[in-house]
Amino acid sequence: MMTSSLWLAMSGPAALLAASLLPAIKPDLSQQAVNRMAAVASGVAGAAAFATAIGVATSGALHTPALAISGIGFGLYLDSVSATMFCLVSFIGAIVLRYSFTYMDGDPGQIRFIRLMCLTLAAVLTLAISGNLLQFTLAWSATSLALHRLLVFYAERPAAVIAARKKFLASRLGDLFLVAAMLLLYAAFGSLDYESMFSAAQAMRGQGAIPLGVQIAAVLMVFAGLLKSAQFPVHGWLIEVMETPTPVSALLHAGIINAGGFLVLRLSDVLLLATPALDVLAVVGGATALFGSLVMLTQTSVK
């Protein structure tokens, strides 16, 4: 895959976004038509992810020229990490969407539900292939906001609303951490383009002189990731989302909850510059794994 053709990867998120917006433009569309559009869009996303994975496997990491002003803008960056995430989310998304067609059949809000699912998937896929930290941050927030609408899909269920509010507060705090980290990194590197940031981070590591702002940014990104992935002790909302439709909890647990881990992997070149950030990650992640394993032994409900 040539770098110039890498823009075709955006056809996946774009198709899902179109499937989400078109029913609002043409409200007379039938439920079957909306389902078909969503199925086609998820198929386009899967094909784009598969083609991208082949390109990365044969050519190594690929990135597009940044459409940016002063290093702030839009671009695509795909390596083994992002290509894997792209494939997994598109594959799981297609399965969950197909299940949703049957699960929500006959529900008066089915079209709205399918639209929100497509919108959420489009945001997650954009996050996975982003090549600029500003673009990543916007997709990160869009994923959270779209998911919130799914969590309160049944607004008459108090338990679902309470869980969604807890998730909303945790997500906004995570957004704040990520935005603060983004500003600090821009001040240190002069660009938010991944290629420039990673090259500068490697140079800093070689020199051994790490600015304080970069270290603080690394710690903030770790906190953002921990909040996004519902690590202990801010995990409470995750075990309370069972009041939402089953496809939502399936998509959440199988894909969206991993966005925090993806953030850590995606910006690992920067995180490696700050030992305190790695320490926090190891301690909180280890404690969460131990706590979750112990609690799991006491549960009788698989879901």
Side-chain angles (χ1 to χ4, degrees):
M1 177 187 290
M2 299 297 293
T3 302
S4 58
S5 65
L6 189 59
W7 289 108
L8 292 175
M10 276 303 298
S11 61
L16 287 163
L17 180 61
S20 172
L21 297 179
L22 194 56
I25 300 173
K26 298 185 65 177
D28 58 333
L29 287 173
S30 67
Q31 179 60 61
Q32 290 73 21
V34 173
N35 287 351
R36 284 195 296 269
M37 282 193 304
V40 170
S42 65
V44 171
F50 181 71
T52 297
I54 293 177
V56 171
T58 57
S59 304
L62 300 170
H63 62 92
T64 63
L67 304 178
I69 298 176
S70 299
I72 303 175
F74 181 84
L76 303 181
Y77 186 95
L78 286 113
D79 57 5
S80 58
V81 174
S82 52
T84 300
M85 184 74 168
F86 196 16
C87 289
L88 286 176
V89 173
S90 60
F91 176 68
I92 293 171
I95 294 174
V96 173
L97 269 176
R98 181 64 186 85
Y99 175 67
S100 299
F101 301 157
T102 302
Y103 181 88
M104 298 297 293
D105 189 31
D107 191 293
Q110 184 175 4
I111 291 180
R112 178 168 61 93
F113 182 83
I114 298 301
R115 288 183 58 208
L116 288 172
M117 290 287 285
C118 289
L119 180 61
T120 304
L121 284 169
V124 178
L125 292 179
T126 301
L127 180 149
I129 61 178
S130 294
N132 189 281
L133 188 54
L134 175 63
Q135 177 187 351
F136 180 97
T137 303
L138 293 175
W140 174 279
S141 297
T143 299
S144 177
L145 294 174
L147 177 62
H148 179 77
R149 300 308 306 165
L150 285 169
L151 292 177
V152 295
F153 183 77
Y154 292 129
E156 69 278 6
R157 298 181 180 180
V161 174
I162 291 174
R165 287 175 180 172
K166 291 180 180 179
K167 165 68 170 60
F168 187 85
L169 292 175
S171 295
R172 298 294 72 76
L173 183 58
D175 291 349
L176 180 62
F177 287 152
L178 186 56
V179 170
M182 179 181 68
L183 296 175
L184 289 171
L185 291 177
Y186 184 73
F189 298 135
S191 175
L192 295 178
D193 184 66
Y194 284 167
E195 186 70 14
S196 300
M197 287 175 56
F198 297 162
S199 297
Q202 291 171 4
M204 282 184 182
R205 188 159 61 249
Q207 296 168 359
I210 314 301
L212 179 60
V214 173
Q215 298 187 50
I216 294 175
V219 173
L220 291 174
M221 285 192 293
V222 165
F223 282 135
L226 294 175
L227 285 165
K228 191 76 166 183
S229 294
Q231 301 294 293
F232 182 83
V234 290
H235 65 289
W237 63 268
L238 184 61
I239 58 179
E240 298 175 7
V241 297
M242 294 301 111
E243 288 295 318
T244 63
T246 297
V248 179
S249 57
L251 181 63
L252 173 65
H253 288 82
I256 298 175
I257 201 68
N258 298 315
F262 179 73
L263 168 65
V264 171
L265 293 173
R266 178 73 289 155
L267 278 300
S268 59
D269 285 343
V270 177
L271 297 183
L272 289 172
L273 299 175
T275 301
L278 300 178
D279 292 341
V280 171
L281 191 64
V283 171
V284 177
T288 301
L290 178 61
F291 176 78
S293 299
L294 291 175
V295 170
M296 181 180 65
L297 296 175
T298 69
Q299 300 301 305
T300 57
S301 173
V302 175
K303 183 178 179 182

